[in-house]
Amino acid sequence: MDSGEKRLNELGYKQELRREMTLFKTLAISFSTMTLFTGITPLYGSSLLYAGPATLVWGWIVVTFFTWFVGVAMAEICSSFPTTGSLYFWAAHLAGPKWGPFASWCCAWLETIGLIAGIGTQAYAGSQTLQSIILLCTGTNKDGGYYAPRWLFLCMYMGLTIIWAVLNTFALEVIAFIDIISIWWQVIGGLAIVIMLPLVALTTQSASYVFTHFETASESTGISNVVYAAILSVLVSQYSLYGYDAAAHLTEETKGADKNGPIAILSSIGIISIFGWAYILALTFSIQDPSYLYDPTNETAGAFVPAQILYDAFHGRYHNATGAIILLFIIWGSFFFGGLSITTSAARVVSKVT
């Protein structure tokens, strides 16, 4: 008998799903749910505008530090309760017989709402990236490039969610295979972006600008309170360092889940912690003109700051946008894989809630 199934029997929990997932497959889904680019890319521009690069860069370190505490605690509990219900099953047992049902109910619905919202944010940010790719492929905002209107943006958004839903009707083995592609896509693609972008950029920002420059933009954001602006700037890190509980949702389908579930949780946090900070540094060092990033008349219509950073770097060096388009496509792939994984995780949560 599998060690995870044995632990379920000790808890009086009936095994309902087949154990087909290996450690690497579970890690792939957990990593893909967190994703390397999908949290940082859509919120990078607004976080940079709120309080400048220093808060953005150091905020990642602070959030990572506290995320490890949550991750270690979650891994320990996952080892003891390797159930598909995961978080709300844990809440029911840890809160005791009196408060257990209420704690489980709150946890289940908050988690369900969060995951469903996560699907929406992945689809929205993925559509933003695709919108920028189309714009740069057809020219630029200055050269008559095609900037997708709202109706087409909505179609792209709906198309992504439908594709993810359809793919999740297939066996988990299919999803796991796609997520194995995802983890290599993001690791190799992430390395390419982190290494290439600063090398390609004609000029790079100084270390003092990246690590110490703090500046609010109250005229643009409407926020004059320094503390509040700094808190909002850290949101990019808080949004990015989530989703590692996906491994816990799959424990009933994972071989040796009492060991492999916790390993997948901690490994996904570790990978994202390192690559995420490197990605933030690569983007920030490669900024050519901070004020130009938000100009509505710039090449990307001021709508997507990372796209403008990529464009400035490659166009400045090679006088064309090909390199920027390729890297944006890598980022878009991350959104596609991430949305698929979050849909998988949400399906597991909802199936147990109902």
Side-chain angles (χ1 to χ4, degrees):
M1 179 183 290
D2 181 271
S3 60
E5 185 175 353
K6 182 180 179 181
R7 178 57 185 154
L8 290 184
N9 290 338
E10 293 172 356
L11 294 170
Y13 188 100
K14 183 182 177 182
Q15 173 80 30
E16 297 178 350
L17 302 172
R18 292 183 298 173
R19 294 187 181 273
E20 301 175 333
M21 302 289 289
T22 62
L23 169 60
F24 188 72
K25 290 178 180 178
T26 302
L27 172 61
I29 292 179
S30 181
F31 178 83
S32 297
T33 302
M34 293 187 74
T35 65
L36 175 57
F37 305 109
T38 58
I40 298 170
T41 305
L43 293 178
Y44 178 87
S46 58
S47 293
L48 181 67
L49 187 64
Y50 282 131
T55 307
L56 178 64
V57 169
W58 292 114
W60 183 271
I61 299 296
V62 173
V63 174
T64 298
F65 176 76
F66 288 105
T67 297
W68 271 106
F69 284 99
V70 177
V72 168
M74 184 176 290
E76 176 65 24
I77 300 171
C78 181
S79 179
S80 299
F81 300 100
T83 63
T84 294
S86 61
L87 275 65
Y88 48 88
F89 182 88
W90 304 345
H93 280 67
L94 296 175
K98 182 178 180 180
W99 292 102
F102 178 71
S104 180
W105 184 85
C106 290
C107 181
W109 279 108
L110 286 172
E111 189 174 11
T112 301
I113 293 169
L115 284 169
I116 293 174
I119 297 171
T121 57
Q122 292 289 310
Y124 184 87
S127 299
Q128 276 187 310
T129 307
L130 188 57
Q131 186 181 50
S132 296
I133 292 172
I134 294 171
L135 176 61
L136 294 181
C137 283
T138 55
T140 66
N141 183 51
K142 290 184 173 182
D143 299 328
Y146 184 74
Y147 187 77
R150 290 182 179 180
W151 67 267
L152 182 56
F153 188 96
L154 179 60
C155 289
M156 291 189 291
Y157 176 98
M158 293 174 63
L160 284 172
T161 58
I162 291 171
I163 291 171
W164 294 333
V166 171
L167 286 174
N168 268 280
T169 63
F170 293 96
L172 187 60
E173 279 291 313
V174 176
I175 304 300
F177 175 75
I178 295 174
D179 283 322
I180 288 173
I181 298 174
S182 169
I183 193 171
W184 290 115
W185 176 282
Q186 294 186 75
V187 169
I188 296 173
L191 283 172
I193 293 175
V194 167
I195 294 171
M196 288 181 60
L197 185 55
L199 292 177
V200 168
L202 284 177
T203 61
T204 56
Q205 295 292 332
S206 65
S208 62
Y209 172 80
V210 173
F211 293 107
T212 65
H213 185 70
F214 180 90
E215 179 184 8
T216 59
S218 56
E219 67 283 354
S220 300
T221 63
I223 298 170
S224 56
N225 186 285
V226 173
V227 176
Y228 186 43
I231 292 173
L232 290 178
S233 182
V234 176
L235 283 177
V236 63
S237 304
Q238 295 172 326
Y239 175 61
S240 302
L241 291 161
Y242 86 110
Y244 43 89
D245 61 315
H249 300 313
L250 298 168
T251 48
E252 196 174 329
E253 300 165 84
T254 302
K255 299 173 183 177
D258 54 326
K259 296 179 181 178
N260 290 335
I263 292 173
I265 290 172
L266 298 178
S267 298
S268 57
I269 294 174
I271 296 170
I272 292 294
S273 297
I274 296 170
F275 272 94
W277 200 52
Y279 179 46
I280 289 175
L281 290 176
L283 286 174
T284 310
F285 271 110
S286 302
I287 294 173
Q288 301 300 295
D289 181 358
S291 61
Y292 187 64
L293 297 175
Y294 304 94
D295 189 340
T297 64
N298 69 17
E299 288 79 3
T300 57
F304 205 46
V305 168
Q308 186 64 40
I309 293 174
L310 292 171
Y311 176 85
D312 288 342
F314 281 91
H315 190 269
R317 176 75 64 179
Y318 302 111
H319 305 293
N320 64 68
T322 303
I325 293 169
I326 292 172
L327 295 190
L328 279 172
F329 181 74
I330 292 173
I331 293 171
W332 180 85
S334 182
F335 282 109
F336 179 84
F337 291 128
L340 177 62
S341 297
I342 292 176
T343 306
T344 303
S345 187
R348 296 304 181 276
V349 172
V350 172
S351 66
K352 286 296 180 179
V353 170
T354 54

